[in-house]
Amino acid sequence: QTVLGVGWALIQPIVTTGIFTFVFGKLAGMSPGGVPYPLLVLAGLLPWQLFSAALSGSSASLISNSQLISKVYFPRLIIPLSSLGVAAIDFLVVLVLYVGTSIWFGRVPSWHWALLPLFIAVALVLAFGAGLWFTALTVKYRDFRYIVPFMLQVGVFLSPIGYSAGTVPSWQNLLDLNPMTGVIDAFRWCLLSDGQPFDTRGIACSLVISAILTASGLWYFRKMERAFADMI
């Protein structure tokens, strides 16, 4: 019974793009590197919104389906996996917004776009791995229902969304410890096609952290799976 429906998936990136463009582009005076600042921000918001929605949905998925878990047996892994599909649909809506904005600014897609699905997969795997940990921990410790949203709020400012990581080279090594930095830079490399070199080190860090989180998350999720129905 919503009025705007799918429009809510567009409101957040539009408002956030406007705010970040004003704060970082106008007030802070950060250089967009020859790219229209709204496009720079929107290209960074695309992977962040995908990751954020997937992580939020998967981390709360078991608690949200507690009645189903306590009554019917089925592979519990299906629940956090389904959250990735919902996040991917919202992502496609925002991607259409980006394409329209890019054409408005006179920038057409290049061959780099062909590699975009690979980096979409990295963002989803990263969210899935972290989500497995958080959803299993939330069943046992309900405090994580508040920790995850707080982490995502802080992560917006710790990730190079409103600015390019290249504008702060002295902080590059520290930024690369954030796995979303490599994903955001890779998205911008694909979408903006501004001639910037590909950040191999950043995406390598993202891949390693994603693999560790997913492998360890699957192990912990399987370990706790039998007790979910009793604890939930």
Side-chain angles (χ1 to χ4, degrees):
Q1 297 178 342
T2 61
V3 177
L4 296 179
V6 73
W8 287 110
L10 295 174
I11 291 175
Q12 181 179 349
I14 291 174
V15 173
T16 307
T17 298
I19 293 173
F20 276 30
T21 299
F22 177 73
V23 173
F24 290 99
K26 300 297 183 181
L27 295 183
M30 287 193 167
S31 172
V35 177
Y37 217 102
L39 274 186
L40 179 78
V41 175
L42 193 54
L45 275 176
L46 270 171
W48 178 259
Q49 184 163 321
L50 174 64
F51 170 78
S52 177
L55 180 58
S56 297
S58 59
S59 63
S61 59
L62 292 180
I63 296 297
S64 302
N65 294 275
S66 56
Q67 293 182 347
L68 184 62
I69 291 174
S70 60
K71 293 179 180 179
V72 182
Y73 175 77
F74 59 94
R76 312 304 192 198
L77 199 60
I78 293 176
I79 296 179
L81 273 174
S82 65
S83 302
L84 303 186
V86 176
I89 293 173
D90 287 345
F91 169 80
L92 292 176
V93 174
V94 185
L95 184 61
V96 172
L97 171 65
Y98 177 86
V99 172
T101 307
S102 181
I103 294 174
W104 172 267
F105 281 105
R107 302 180 72 93
V108 295
S110 71
W111 66 268
H112 292 177
W113 279 64
L115 299 177
L116 187 62
L118 297 177
F119 304 123
I120 294 173
V122 175
L124 287 174
V125 170
L126 179 61
F128 179 62
L132 287 177
W133 272 105
F134 286 129
T135 194
L137 288 169
T138 302
V139 173
K140 191 173 183 180
Y141 307 104
R142 301 303 168 93
D143 304 83
F144 280 92
R145 289 185 298 176
Y146 311 104
I147 293 175
V148 173
F150 175 73
M151 290 178 60
L152 290 174
Q153 288 177 353
V154 174
V156 170
F157 299 98
L158 296 180
S159 302
I161 299 173
Y163 58 93
S164 173
T167 60
V168 284
S170 59
W171 293 89
Q172 187 69 50
N173 291 333
L174 189 60
L175 285 173
D176 282 342
L177 295 178
N178 175 1
M180 280 304 295
T181 297
V183 177
I184 292 171
D185 285 346
F187 263 71
R188 283 180 172 147
W189 180 81
C190 286
L191 298 175
L192 298 177
S193 305
D194 55 355
Q196 294 295 323
F198 183 72
D199 185 12
T200 306
R201 182 179 60 181
I203 196 63
C205 290
S206 300
L207 289 170
V208 170
I209 295 174
S210 298
I212 293 173
L213 281 176
T214 303
S216 60
L218 283 169
W219 168 80
Y220 185 72
F221 190 91
R222 292 295 189 186
K223 179 182 177 181
M224 299 293 295
E225 188 173 10
R226 294 182 179 180
F228 285 157
D230 297 327
M231 291 189 296
I232 208 164

